Amino acid sequence: MSIRFAAAGAGECGAVARVLRRPRLRAPANDHDNQAESDTMLHDALQHFARHGLGAAERARNIALRAFFEGNREQYRHWLGICRKLDRQMANRLATAHRAVEEFEPLVLPE
């Protein structure tokens, strides 16, 4: 008869210990700091999506573009936020392009 030797593992590594151990609770993935602000923006974005369907992000981008060139920065930020909720990449491209324009805007002298 042969004798087999298996070294004892640490108490934490055993199969029974793993089953009996309490699971670690992790923080939710959608835990945001500015929850109240994002709730209203999310509500507006969902309402916009309900009205316009899959083209809602592009429509929000177009409204934001119009507001930007009309000089209405508050409305621009609002529609950019809605666009960001619906399509983050599209909103980031728009914001990047307009950030460059806003940097040079003070340099343009009125005639």
Side-chain angles (χ1 to χ4, degrees), residues 11-57:
E12 287 284 320
C13 296
V16 174
R18 280 192 305 255
V19 170
L20 296 177
R21 184 175 37 196
R22 290 179 74 188
R24 267 186 267 157
L25 297 177
R26 297 181 181 156
N30 63 346
D31 190 17
H32 302 297
D33 293 336
N34 54 356
Q35 194 68 29
E37 180 183 321
S38 67
D39 284 346
T40 58
M41 186 62 68
L42 179 62
H43 180 266
D44 292 347
L46 289 173
Q47 289 292 322
H48 185 69
F49 182 75
R51 277 188 229 107
H52 302 290
L54 295 176

Side-chain angles (χ1 to χ4, degrees), residues 21-100:
R21 184 175 37 196
R22 290 179 74 188
R24 267 186 267 157
L25 297 177
R26 297 181 181 156
N30 63 346
D31 190 17
H32 302 297
D33 293 336
N34 54 356
Q35 194 68 29
E37 180 183 321
S38 67
D39 284 346
T40 58
M41 186 62 68
L42 179 62
H43 180 266
D44 292 347
L46 289 173
Q47 289 292 322
H48 185 69
F49 182 75
R51 277 188 229 107
H52 302 290
L54 295 176
E58 187 174 350
R59 189 172 179 102
R61 183 196 64 189
N62 292 340
I63 296 170
L65 270 170
R66 188 171 351 122
F68 181 82
F69 288 112
E70 288 174 355
N72 190 344
R73 297 298 189 250
E74 185 177 329
Q75 187 180 12
Y76 163 73
R77 282 191 222 70
H78 174 77
W79 285 102
L80 181 64
I82 289 176
C83 183
R84 184 167 280 125
K85 290 288 184 189
L86 298 172
D87 188 342
R88 186 175 300 270
Q89 289 180 344
M90 183 185 294
N92 287 342
R93 285 192 304 267
L94 179 66
T96 302
H98 288 155
R99 216 172 290 126

